[in-house]
Amino acid sequence: MGKTIVRHLWNAISGVFVLLLSLWMSGPGIAETDTSMYRWYFMLLFVLWVIGFVLQFKKRSRLLGVVITLLPVIYYLAIYIRAAFM
């Protein structure tokens, strides 16, 4: 019971975090180029998170799903920490 609550909390918090940062990074005021194609590449990180989220529903691929959902979160945290210390 406790593991499922922690996993659901993790999915909710990390999903909102990745979605908001993906939308913010793909916004027209943030991207360094006017080409919209390059701006939407940041949304691929949210798609990767969704794939990891879907993999968590099967018991056999649950660990792989958690690892895949960690990748975009760690990427955005690393970018945020680097920007904060500049």
Side-chain angles (χ1 to χ4, degrees):
M1 181 76 172
K3 286 182 182 180
T4 58
I5 292 172
V6 169
R7 195 175 72 242
H8 291 311
L9 261 164
W10 162 253
N11 284 329
I13 292 170
S14 67
V16 169
F17 180 73
V18 170
L19 177 63
L20 291 178
L21 284 176
S22 294
L23 289 173
W24 182 57
M25 294 294 283
S26 66
I30 301 299
E32 296 178 6
T33 181
D34 290 332
T35 307
S36 63
M37 181 179 69
Y38 294 118
R39 290 187 285 163
W40 287 107
Y41 285 158
F42 288 105
M43 292 305 290
L44 290 177
L45 290 170
F46 180 69
V47 171
L48 181 67
W49 182 90
V50 168
I51 291 170
F53 177 71
V54 170
L55 284 175
Q56 289 182 25
F57 287 114
K58 291 185 181 178
K59 191 170 180 106
R60 293 179 62 187
S61 61
R62 187 169 292 156
L63 180 63
L64 180 65
V66 170
V67 170
I68 289 176
T69 57
L70 271 174
L71 293 175
V73 173
I74 291 172
Y75 177 75
Y76 279 134
L77 279 176
I79 287 176
Y80 182 77
I81 291 171
R82 273 185 77 187
F85 288 116
M86 283 189 138

